[in-house]
């Protein structure tokens, strides 16, 4: 090696410098290094910078070694390439570090001093987003994380101050006013626990959406939101087989009864993106039809064929509608659902939930509908209320029709839906806003809960995998104490409202069940959908039901019809495994 080498002339040195500079500019131009393609000092820019620098060093080294009279010793271009990369990278890192330090120490009165709970990928992305936020809404002070292996880490100069249990101490020492739960996969217990700690520490708490709600899996300042009751009750990502759904909805004529209700309107919104040939929205409430059309198309003139005003109690109207529009897929969501009112007016449950369902089934059968989905409720399992009786009978009627037609006729059963009209959340929120009291029937009463979107997504999925005469039972997670829901809503509202216990009303259970005593939990296709066989209940069994009779006699007749179904259920064969 020419370690000592001959004296390097000025001309040779200039030639090497010009060659290196030209190559650096040429390769940088090809890779767009200097056009802001990547953020300064980011991993992506470091890769580009290394490629440009080492590419330049390689070519200069090769040219210098190939010429008869070397411009410089052969080791110089190699050493220079490494040295240039270090200097360039160090300069970029220092520039970014100083810029972010300036932002971190910006003490604006409108900037909220913030702790980040979770020092994982989401927490680091959130910190990065906070530092780049032009509005400068948050001033990050540090991290909390329950992983003890991270307790000595510093992320972009910010320390991990301890576990979530140290929120009170960390809040006092840093002056934090807000903690953001940067754990998109966190379950409800974590949200509830951190909510209590934040309340005790006197700081506000916000969360990032669940992983299923994030657009591309990445998080940022814009994703930060307040805690809501769905976070406290649990959130789950649903694995939906989109191809199976598209197979039976795309290009089909789809009719939804009760399209203006909470479930019906969300069904319409989720079905629409799958491109049905027609989406026929049927309801007897013109204002509700106006609202759902507006939410789907952005216009609500109610002058198109997609909205149909009518009542499922009118069998002649249904027959004409099905004959004219020839729907291929039907979701039957129209029903009366308020348990206490139906206890007072059981005849109305017969007229809508029983006879109305039978009218829809008869019209569907005559029109040769390919797939019929009856929306049921967990109150149909071991029913003891008018609502439960009527919906259980509707399941039986659907199963009976399945035995008489070539189409697939099934029911889907789930429990309380968060945010639906008249739901417990709506009632509690109104009572809290009025200053209380918040009325709960019993301290230990529990119910199953799902969000509207989650319930409907699984309904559509279930319809793709369901078989004739089945009731598909959606996995509702663990039942939740209603008193806990009330306490959590009061805490979220920062209210002093008191809870008053009123006692269980007629027809109400202490604890709901998703399955009847004779129904096994069988999940052959989807991990969140159970399949149970439903005994058929022919039309002859419901025609004698008197919707205008004495309320007590009406209830007895409904109970007797359900008892008949229960007797038949014991004789059903066990479900076949796929």
């Amino acid at each position: 090696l020419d370690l000592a080498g001959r004296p390097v002339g000025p001309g040779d040195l200039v030639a090497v410098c010009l060659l290196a500079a030209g190559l650096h500019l040429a390769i940088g131009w090809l890779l767009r290094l200097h056009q802001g393609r990547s953020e300064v000092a980011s991993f992506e820019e470091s890769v580009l910078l290394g490629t440009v620098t080492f590419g330049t060093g390689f070519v200069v080294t090769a040219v210098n070694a190939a010429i008869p009279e070397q411009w410089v010793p052969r080791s110089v271009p190699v050493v220079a390439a490494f040295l240039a990369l270090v200097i360039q990278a160090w300069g970029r890192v220092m520039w970014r570090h100083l810029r972010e330090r300036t932002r971190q120490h910006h003490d604006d009165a409108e900037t909220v001093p913030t702790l980040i709970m979770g020092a994982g990928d989401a927490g680091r992305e959130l910190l990065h987003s906070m530092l780049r936020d032009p509005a400068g809404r948050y001033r990050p002070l540090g991290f909390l994380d329950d992983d003890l292996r991270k307790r000595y880490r510093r992320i972009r100069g910010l320390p991990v101050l301890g576990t979530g249990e140290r929120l009170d101490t960390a809040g006092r020492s840093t002056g934090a006013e807000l903690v953001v739960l940067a754990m998109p996969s966190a379950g409800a217990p974590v949200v509830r626990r951190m909510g209590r700690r934040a309340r005790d520490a006197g700081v506000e708490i916000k969360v990032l959406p669940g992983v299923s709600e994030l657009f591309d899996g990445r998080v940022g300042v814009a994703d930060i939101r307040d805690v809501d009751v769905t976070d406290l009750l649990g959130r789950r990502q649903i694995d939906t087989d989109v191809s199976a759904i598209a197979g039976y909805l795309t290009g089909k004529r789809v009719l939804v009864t009760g399209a203006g209700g909470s479930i019906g309107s969300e069904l319409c919104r989720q079905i629409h993106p799958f491109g049905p040939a027609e989406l026929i929205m049927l309801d007897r409430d013109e204002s509700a039809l106006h609202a759902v059309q507006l939410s789907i198309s952005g216009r609500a003139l109610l002058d198109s064929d997609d909205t149909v005003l009518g009542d499922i109690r009118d069998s002649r109207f249904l027959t004409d509608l099905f004959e004219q529009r020839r729907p291929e897929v039907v979701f039957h969501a129209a029903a009366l659902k308020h348990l206490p009112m139906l206890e007072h007016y059981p005849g109305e449950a017969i007229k809508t939930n029983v006879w109305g369902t039978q009218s829809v089934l008869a019209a569907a059968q005559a029109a040769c509908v390919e797939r019929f989905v009856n929306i049921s409720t967990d109150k149909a399992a071991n029913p003891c209320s008018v609502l439960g009786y009527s919906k259980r009978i509707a399941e039986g009627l659907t199963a009976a029709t399945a035995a008489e037609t070539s189409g697939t006729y099934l029911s889907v059963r789930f429990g309380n839906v968060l945010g639906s009209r008249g739901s417990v959340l709506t009632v509690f929120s109104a009572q809290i806003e009025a200053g209380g009291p918040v009325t709960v029937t019993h301290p230990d009463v529990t119910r199953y809960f799902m969000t509207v979107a989650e319930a409907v997504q699984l309904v559509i999925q279930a319809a793709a995998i369901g078989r004739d005469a089945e009731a598909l039972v959606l996995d509702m997670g663990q039942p939740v104490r209603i008193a806990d829901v009330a306490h959590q809503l009061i805490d979220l509202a920062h209210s002093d409202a008191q809870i008053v216990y009123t006692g269980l009303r007629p027809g109400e259970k202490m604890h709901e069940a998703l399955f009847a005593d004779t129904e096994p939990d069988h999940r052959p296709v989807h991990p969140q959908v159970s399949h149970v066989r439903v005994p058929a209940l022919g039309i002859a069994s419901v025609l004698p039901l008197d919707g205008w009779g004495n309320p007590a006699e009406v209830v007895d007749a409904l109970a007797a019809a359900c008892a008949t179904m229960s007797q038949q259920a014991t004789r059903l064969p066990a479900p076949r495994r796929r």
Side-chain angles (χ1 to χ4, degrees):
L1 292 177
D2 185 9
L3 297 178
R6 62 180 178 79
V8 178
D12 294 338
L13 184 60
V14 170
V16 171
C17 292
L18 289 176
L19 177 60
L23 286 170
H24 194 282
L25 291 173
I27 300 175
W29 180 81
L30 289 174
L31 299 179
R32 301 180 184 179
L33 174 63
H34 308 297
Q35 296 180 4
R37 187 177 185 179
S38 303
E39 187 178 5
V40 175
S42 65
F43 174 78
E44 292 81 4
E45 193 202 41
S46 299
V47 172
L48 293 175
L49 184 64
T51 302
V52 172
T53 304
F54 285 129
T56 300
F58 175 80
V59 174
V60 173
T61 300
V63 171
N64 183 61
I67 61 177
E69 292 289 336
Q70 296 177 10
W71 291 324
V72 293
R74 283 173 290 181
S75 60
V76 169
V78 177
V79 174
F82 281 97
L83 185 61
L85 179 62
V86 170
I87 293 174
Q88 292 175 90
W90 181 82
R92 283 168 162 79
V93 170
M94 287 303 299
W95 182 85
R96 179 170 175 174
H97 176 71
L98 292 174
R99 185 185 62 173
E100 292 183 353
R101 292 277 293 182
T102 301
R103 289 182 178 178
Q104 287 178 222
H105 290 86
H106 179 63
D107 191 15
D108 193 322
E110 297 181 358
T111 300
V112 181
T114 304
L115 293 174
I116 299 174
M117 177 63 193
D121 292 339
R124 289 193 292 269
E125 286 184 22
L126 181 59
L127 172 62
H128 184 56
S129 180
M130 286 179 173
L131 295 175
R132 292 186 296 116
D133 182 20
R137 288 166 285 182
Y138 304 97
R139 176 158 44 92
L141 304 173
F143 288 86
L144 297 170
D145 200 293
D146 289 334
D147 187 350
L148 296 178
R149 293 172 297 180
K150 299 178 182 178
R151 55 186 169 180
Y152 298 122
R153 291 188 183 177
R154 299 184 73 88
I155 301 173
R156 296 199 177 178
L158 297 183
V160 176
L161 300 170
T163 65
E165 295 179 353
R166 292 181 52 83
L167 175 58
D168 189 9
T169 303
R172 286 198 306 269
S173 63
T174 60
E177 299 175 6
L178 171 70
V179 58
V180 178
L181 187 58
M183 302 167 64
S185 60
V190 176
V191 180
R192 288 196 293 266
R193 183 169 63 250
M194 288 305 300
R196 289 193 298 268
R197 290 172 179 168
R199 184 174 61 250
D200 294 341
V203 300
E204 186 181 3
I205 183 170
K206 292 182 182 289
V207 297
L208 292 176
V211 290
S212 60
E213 301 172 62
L214 294 172
F215 178 71
D216 59 357
R218 301 184 67 85
V219 299
V221 169
D223 297 311
I224 297 174
R225 61 168 173 79
D226 293 330
V227 178
D228 60 34
V229 74
T230 60
D231 299 310
L232 298 169
L233 295 179
R235 56 192 182 193
R236 301 188 299 278
Q237 183 176 9
I238 300 171
D239 181 18
T240 302
D241 186 354
V242 176
S243 61
I245 292 174
Y248 82 92
L249 289 178
T250 302
K252 300 290 187 178
R253 295 181 297 276
V254 182
L255 183 145
V256 179
T257 71
S262 302
I263 297 297
S265 60
E266 183 63 23
L267 267 169
C268 293
R269 283 188 287 271
Q270 291 200 27
I271 291 170
H272 183 264
F274 289 104
E278 283 187 86
L279 177 56
I280 307 165
M281 299 178 286
L282 168 64
D283 204 288
R284 64 178 181 179
D285 186 338
E286 58 181 345
S287 298
L289 286 174
H290 179 276
V292 68
Q293 187 184 58
L294 181 64
S295 69
I296 291 175
S297 64
R299 58 184 295 277
L301 300 179
L302 298 179
D303 59 354
S304 57
D305 292 337
D306 60 342
T307 54
V308 178
L309 185 64
D311 196 329
I312 63 169
R313 293 182 177 191
D314 188 341
S315 59
R316 182 173 178 179
F317 157 75
L318 286 174
T319 300
D320 292 343
L321 174 65
F322 275 70
E323 184 177 343
Q324 294 169 10
R325 306 296 292 274
R326 309 299 295 184
E328 297 166 279
V329 180
V330 174
F331 289 91
H332 176 45
L336 296 178
K337 65 175 185 178
H338 289 286
L339 186 150
M341 181 161 283
L342 294 183
E343 291 296 315
H344 287 287
Y345 303 99
E348 296 303 305
I350 289 179
K351 296 172 190 175
T352 297
N353 296 355
V354 178
W355 292 343
T357 297
Q358 177 56 37
S359 296
V360 178
L361 285 166
Q365 185 177 6
C368 298
V369 166
E370 297 176 3
R371 190 173 296 268
F372 185 101
V373 182
N374 168 52
I375 307 299
S376 189
T377 172
D378 59 354
K379 294 170 179 59
N382 295 327
C384 65
S385 64
V386 171
L387 173 59
Y389 293 143
S390 63
K391 298 298 283 184
R392 179 60 169 169
I393 291 171
E395 291 182 359
L397 293 172
T398 303
T401 306
E404 301 170 356
T405 185
S406 58
T408 300
Y409 286 67
L410 56 99
S411 298
V412 178
R413 185 190 299 169
F414 52 85
N416 294 30
V417 177
L418 292 170
S420 62
R421 290 191 300 183
S423 72
V424 67
L425 292 189
T426 306
V427 175
F428 285 173
S429 297
Q431 291 176 333
I432 292 170
E433 186 175 351
V438 177
T439 56
V440 178
T441 55
H442 191 281
D444 298 322
V445 68
T446 63
R447 292 292 182 266
Y448 290 96
F449 286 100
M450 297 181 85
T451 65
V452 175
E454 182 183 34
V456 168
Q457 192 172 350
L458 279 175
V459 166
I460 297 175
Q461 174 72 72
I465 63 176
R467 297 168 291 193
D468 268 340
E470 288 184 333
L472 278 68
V473 185
L474 306 188
D475 184 353
M476 304 286 293
Q478 295 299 314
V480 178
R481 290 175 69 246
I482 299 296
D484 289 344
V485 176
H487 282 296
Q488 290 157 7
L489 285 174
I490 291 171
D491 289 342
L492 288 177
H494 306 290
S495 172
D496 296 325
Q498 300 298 310
I499 295 178
V500 174
Y501 297 101
T502 59
L504 291 175
R505 295 167 293 187
E508 286 189 325
K509 299 178 182 178
M510 182 71 75
H511 309 289
E512 294 287 0
L514 295 176
F515 303 93
D517 294 336
T518 57
E519 297 173 342
D521 184 354
H522 179 57
R523 308 186 185 197
V525 181
H526 194 284
Q528 290 177 298
V529 182
S530 302
H531 296 236
V532 299
R533 297 290 302 277
V534 177
L537 188 68
I539 183 65
S541 300
V542 300
L543 285 178
L545 293 176
D546 185 0
W548 290 270
N550 178 277
E553 295 176 353
V554 170
V555 174
D556 290 341
L558 286 168
C562 289
T564 300
M565 290 183 63
S566 297
Q567 294 171 0
Q568 296 175 0
T570 60
R571 298 192 291 270
L572 287 175
R576 294 173 298 182
R577 295 190 179 273
R578 291 186 175 184

